[in-house]
Amino acid sequence: METKASRSFKAFVIDLDGTLLDTTKDIGLALEKTLDCSFTDSQIDRFVGRGLKNAVKAAIEEIGLKNADLDALTEKLIDFYREVPVLHTKPYPGAVELLTDLNKKGLPVCIYSNKEQDLTETILGICFKDIKFSMIVGMHGKYEPKPSSQAIDAFLSKVGVDKRAALYIGDSDVDFKTASQAGMNYRILTCGTRSKKSLLEAGVPKDFLIDSLFEIKDLI
């Protein structure tokens, strides 16, 4: 694996929620409509980050809803989310600059999200309409969800880049597991859906935590 010394990478696999975009409030709005109740910001922060189905599961456990049909509620949430995918959602500092720089240098980018495929594509089209992506991978598409490395292997094969020359960027323990399973170099953000403390407890090495996307500049 990579040492901490700076180096340049030739391809990038990037998580969406909590890494490039702060989507928490819009997911929260859809969740509140789905369950017809209100949640605090701190509650929603705890629910999100592991896919929409897990967000629903965490929310119904929080309110003590018994005998709930998780699959039906998840579909209901997705329907509400599709109606208003981007209201409060916004890029994290450095996201637009990073993607623009990667495009200018002709470096391939794969977005790898546990959000539904169509929602992932829609939200990217709204928030990063001028950015070109080599591959967009969401749930219920062609590939297994994280932490599977199936989509990563397909992307790197498509662009002809060895995994040792590629970098994974995410914000969660799931992203850490995904990158590790793929045998990739990685950086994990501490400003997304998981705190630095929780990431360290999950086993993410301190040297590979970053506080901002601007820190990726020296690795391009």
Side-chain angles (χ1 to χ4, degrees):
M1 287 295 289
E2 176 204 8
T3 64
K4 191 63 172 68
S6 292
R7 56 174 292 185
S8 296
F9 292 98
K10 304 303 180 185
F12 293 78
V13 178
I14 310 177
D15 171 57
L16 185 61
D17 297 57
T19 300
L20 291 175
L21 293 174
D22 182 353
T23 58
T24 302
K25 286 187 178 180
D26 285 334
I27 295 173
L29 286 175
L31 193 56
E32 289 179 334
K33 289 180 181 178
T34 299
L35 298 176
D36 193 25
C37 62
S38 297
F39 296 107
T40 65
D41 289 344
S42 61
Q43 285 177 310
I44 293 170
D45 285 343
R46 285 191 283 107
F47 300 157
V48 303
R50 295 188 175 89
L52 298 179
K53 187 172 185 176
N54 283 324
V56 175
K57 182 179 180 181
I60 61 178
E61 288 175 354
E62 183 85 1
I63 62 178
L65 186 61
K66 304 295 184 182
N67 302 316
D69 187 331
L70 181 58
D71 289 334
L73 287 174
T74 301
E75 285 303 313
K76 189 175 180 181
L77 177 141
I78 291 170
D79 287 340
F80 280 128
Y81 197 13
R82 284 191 178 112
E83 290 176 7
V84 189
V86 177
L87 180 61
H88 300 290
T89 292
K90 58 184 179 181
Y92 280 103
V96 173
E97 292 87 344
L98 171 62
L99 294 174
T100 300
D101 200 14
L102 292 174
N103 269 194
K104 285 181 178 179
K105 294 182 178 181
L107 296 171
V109 177
C110 171
I111 299 300
Y112 193 11
S113 175
N114 271 350
K115 191 188 297 294
E116 274 57 27
Q117 182 74 30
D118 65 309
L119 275 169
T120 300
E121 293 174 358
T122 296
I123 292 169
L124 284 171
I126 295 171
C127 296
F128 301 114
K129 60 184 178 65
D130 297 322
I131 301 297
K132 294 181 180 180
F133 301 101
S134 299
M135 185 180 287
I136 298 172
V137 180
M139 285 280 284
H140 303 133
K142 297 179 180 179
Y143 307 103
E144 297 171 356
K146 302 175 187 177
S148 169
S149 64
Q150 188 183 76
I152 294 173
D153 294 338
F155 166 64
L156 294 178
S157 176
K158 175 183 177 181
V159 300
V161 175
D162 187 272
K163 63 183 179 182
R164 291 169 295 183
L167 183 70
Y168 188 108
I169 308 170
D171 76 302
S172 70
D173 52 320
V174 175
D175 291 315
F176 167 58
K177 291 174 184 176
T178 303
S180 298
Q181 185 160 305
M184 287 183 70
N185 300 293
Y186 57 87
R187 294 291 184 275
I188 304 296
L189 284 157
T190 60
C191 58
T193 59
R194 298 291 174 262
S195 68
K196 184 174 183 177
K197 181 176 181 291
S198 68
L199 291 169
L200 289 170
E201 290 174 347
V204 183
K206 181 180 178 181
D207 284 348
F208 298 98
L209 292 174
I210 58 173
D211 297 324
S212 165
L213 287 169
F214 289 111
E215 295 180 47
I216 300 297
K217 185 176 181 179
D218 292 336
L219 301 174
I220 298 174

